[in-house]
Amino acid sequence: MAGKLRFSYHTRLFFLLLGFSWILVGCFVAFQYHREKIYKVEKLNGELQLYNAHLIDALCTDSIDFNATIARQRLPMAGLRVSVINTDGTLVFDNTLDSLPGENHLNRHEINDAMRSGSGFSLRRHSVSTDRTYFYSATRRDNLIVRSAVPYSVSLQEVLDADSSFLWFMAAVTLAISILGYFATRSLGRTISRLNRFAEKAEKGENVYDVGAFPHDELGSISTHIIRLYARLQQTMTERDREHRNAIHEQQEKTRIKKQLTNNINHELKTPVASIKVCLETLLDHRDLPPDKHWKFVEKAYRHTERLANLLNDVSAITRMDDGAANIEKEPLDLREIIDDIDLSVADQLRKAGITLCMKVPDNTVITGNRTFISSIFRNLIDNAIAYSNGTTITVQLDDESATSYTFSISDDGTGIPEEHLERVFERFYRIDKGRSRLIGGTGLGLSIVRNAVQLHGGTIYAVNVRPHGVKFIFTLAR
């Protein structure tokens, strides 16, 4: 209940253990006290029984004068009352009485036991004859019963009582147990309290960094393992949520890029399609055009058709790469052989532009990859340098190699790229000079294809301007 005072687990456990300990010690003390008291009673009874036996022996030898016979016997203690009783229960002698009572003594407990077993005692019984309380011990032999009685006094009470030093010793033991129990339960209580705080935080889904140190025992070890497991679970859930958010963000980004790509494609398609339509409409509406003008419109329509085909091919390549590396087949490839093939295919372009292609890639440079996309990396970068650099030399070079990757660079000595455009040249349909790009038939997807192809082969790419002239594209490819 909310308003009810609630004791801590340590307090409840301590008082529970304390109660059990005290009950156990109390039972032991009571048992030991009873045993000790019985021992002292039996010891006293044994002394009296021995005296009774000696007295019976003396009486059997000389039974004329009881007083004289008893006087000759050494009493085990002062004030001893001695009685002689027949087996019929008649009191025949008592050293403390002047006149003997006539009542039958067989109903006395110690006499009754002596009749049955030869000896008996009564721990505490009041005598009507003397009006005093005695400890009685009776011994029977043949037809004679001798009973000795010790008056109950302070001295006898002290003799029969248990030793008080034992009680003080057990009290000290109980105190020691209580102190040890307090410290033992405090350590256990702290561990339970920390576990309870941890459970409350875990129930609320809070992050648990520290709930205090645990003792170096089994419970502490279990508690530590539980908290570690919960921390790992939290970490796993955090990573799962982060991956889920990343997956959602990636999906949203893909959707955005596809939408942007679709819009860009629509925009890029309008120009060549419109130009082709204008050319064809002109030819249809003016069938009597001179041959030179007729072929001029045909060539213009062809160039736009070629640009349209290039755009569709680039879009197809981008789409394939967006589908993921799992759908792309890879095989061992000789990069020098691929670059030599590209050199042959662009030889006419190089000659017309007055550009020299300098090759610094060793033979037998082998990589595991997709031939089409590896070729598109080098082809697009070389085509890009031919079209836009206005330089005289293009250098393809293997800069570095390691056990896991190659580092290549393709550079030119042309005009370079303005610094503000270097970070964006790999974006789809991004053009530094839109008019010139369209004029020479660029689709705006070449460098984007290069970046995607490099990433599919486990690498990265970036562009830097070189001094005094030119730009360098540096990229890595996994081996």
Side-chain angles (χ1 to χ4, degrees):
M1 296 177 64
K4 192 175 181 179
L5 180 62
R6 181 183 179 185
F7 294 103
S8 66
Y9 180 81
H10 163 230
T11 303
R12 288 182 278 122
L13 183 62
F14 170 68
F15 280 114
L16 181 64
L17 181 62
L18 196 65
F20 285 150
S21 302
W22 286 4
I23 290 174
L24 180 63
V25 170
C27 291
F28 178 75
V29 167
F31 172 74
Q32 190 66 22
Y33 183 85
H34 180 67
R35 277 190 60 188
E36 187 174 354
K37 193 167 184 178
I38 290 176
Y39 167 75
K40 290 189 175 185
V41 169
E42 289 178 348
K43 182 180 179 182
L44 176 61
N45 182 55
E47 293 179 2
L48 296 178
Q49 289 286 332
L50 183 61
Y51 171 78
N52 294 342
H54 288 164
L55 185 59
I56 290 176
D57 291 338
L59 292 174
C60 290
T61 303
D62 184 9
S63 58
I64 300 174
D65 188 354
F66 288 109
N67 281 319
T69 303
I70 293 173
R72 289 195 297 270
Q73 301 294 321
R74 188 176 65 85
L75 297 177
M77 56 193 67
L80 186 68
R81 178 186 177 186
V82 179
S83 304
V84 180
I85 305 165
N86 289 328
T87 54
D88 60 359
T90 305
L91 179 65
V92 296
F93 175 78
D94 191 306
N95 65 344
T96 61
L97 299 177
D98 295 331
S99 60
L100 299 177
E103 61 185 90
N104 193 297
H105 281 64
L106 291 179
N107 60 348
R108 307 296 195 267
H109 179 73
E110 68 278 4
I111 302 299
N112 196 321
D113 287 345
M115 289 295 294
R116 286 189 291 105
S117 61
S119 65
F121 71 91
S122 291
L123 180 61
R124 188 183 186 96
R125 184 168 61 77
H126 181 263
S127 173
V128 178
S129 302
T130 61
D131 195 25
R132 298 181 68 181
T133 302
Y134 295 92
F135 175 91
Y136 292 98
S137 178
T139 304
R140 180 184 69 83
R141 185 182 299 173
D142 298 331
N143 297 324
L144 192 64
I145 299 173
V146 173
R147 182 182 68 181
S148 55
V150 180
Y152 247 93
S153 61
V154 175
S155 58
L156 180 61
Q157 184 70 37
E158 292 176 351
V159 169
L160 295 180
D161 282 345
D163 189 0
S164 61
S165 61
F166 172 74
L167 298 178
W168 287 110
F169 172 75
M170 291 308 301
V173 170
T174 304
L175 179 61
I177 291 176
S178 301
I179 294 174
L180 292 175
Y182 172 78
F183 286 106
T185 55
R186 184 179 67 170
S187 176
L188 181 62
R190 285 178 177 176
T191 301
I192 298 298
S193 297
R194 293 186 186 116
L195 274 177
N196 184 52
R197 290 197 299 271
F198 159 74
E200 290 175 351
K201 291 183 177 181
E203 184 181 12
K204 297 176 182 177
E206 298 179 5
N207 292 326
V208 179
Y209 299 104
D210 184 23
V211 292
F214 289 99
H216 299 289
D217 54 20
E218 288 79 0
L219 181 59
S221 178
I222 293 172
S223 304
T224 302
H225 287 314
I226 291 174
I227 292 178
R228 285 178 180 172
L229 287 173
Y230 180 75
R232 290 176 186 172
L233 177 61
Q234 281 186 316
Q235 184 179 1
T236 302
M237 294 178 64
T238 301
E239 291 177 355
R240 181 204 64 187
D241 294 341
R242 183 172 61 251
E243 290 177 358
H244 181 64
R245 289 193 299 270
N246 291 340
I248 293 176
H249 176 73
E250 184 178 350
Q251 186 62 37
Q252 291 174 343
E253 188 66 15
K254 284 184 178 181
T255 303
R256 185 190 67 78
I257 291 174
K258 286 183 179 180
K259 185 176 181 180
Q260 183 182 20
L261 179 62
T262 302
N263 294 335
N264 290 336
I265 291 173
N266 290 336
H267 178 72
E268 292 295 326
L269 287 175
K270 287 180 181 179
T271 300
V273 169
S275 298
I276 294 171
K277 182 179 180 182
V278 168
C279 292
L280 294 177
E281 287 178 348
T282 301
L283 292 174
L284 289 174
D285 293 340
H286 302 83
R287 297 176 182 271
D288 54 349
L289 283 174
D292 56 339
K293 290 186 178 182
H294 177 87
W295 287 111
K296 183 178 180 180
F297 280 109
V298 171
E299 290 174 356
K300 186 176 180 180
Y302 177 76
R303 285 197 304 272
H304 285 295
T305 303
E306 196 172 43
R307 180 187 169 194
L308 185 61
N310 291 335
L311 178 62
L312 293 176
N313 289 333
D314 288 347
V315 170
S316 176
I318 288 284
T319 303
R320 286 180 60 196
M321 283 185 280
D322 283 344
D323 288 340
N327 299 324
I328 297 175
E329 296 180 358
K330 295 183 179 181
E331 59 182 333
L333 303 172
D334 188 334
L335 290 179
R336 181 56 189 263
E337 177 187 335
I338 292 176
I339 297 171
D340 286 340
D341 290 343
I342 295 173
D343 187 13
L344 290 176
S345 66
V346 299
D348 288 342
Q349 293 175 256
L350 293 170
R351 181 176 50 78
K352 291 178 182 179
I355 298 175
T356 301
L357 182 61
C358 182
M359 193 77 63
K360 296 183 180 181
V361 177
D363 293 334
N364 297 321
T365 303
V366 179
I367 187 174
T368 301
N370 180 272
R371 177 177 291 273
T372 300
F373 290 138
I374 291 294
S375 178
S376 71
I377 294 172
F378 291 93
R379 179 61 185 263
N380 275 296
L381 290 176
I382 292 172
D383 284 344
N384 194 72
I386 295 172
Y388 302 106
S389 69
N390 295 324
T392 59
T393 304
I394 299 174
T395 303
V396 180
Q397 180 174 323
L398 174 61
D399 293 329
D400 190 23
E401 62 177 302
S402 67
T404 58
S405 65
Y406 292 110
T407 300
F408 296 92
S409 65
I410 297 179
S411 59
D412 59 63
D413 58 355
T415 56
I417 299 175
E419 292 292 335
E420 64 269 20
H421 296 290
L422 282 176
E423 296 292 330
R424 302 191 61 189
V425 293
F426 297 102
E427 295 179 10
R428 297 173 183 180
F429 297 106
Y430 185 81
R431 293 185 177 90
I432 299 173
D433 185 348
K434 296 182 180 180
R436 187 184 175 201
S437 179
R438 288 196 177 95
L439 183 64
I440 62 177
T443 63
L445 292 174
L447 292 181
S448 180
I449 291 174
V450 169
R451 181 184 62 182
N452 285 11
V454 168
Q455 291 174 346
L456 284 176
H457 288 82
T460 58
I461 184 170
Y462 61 96
V464 295
N465 284 316
V466 295
R467 298 291 180 264
H469 303 290
V471 66
K472 178 185 286 189
F473 289 87
I474 302 171
F475 59 96
T476 59
L477 296 173
R479 299 187 69 162

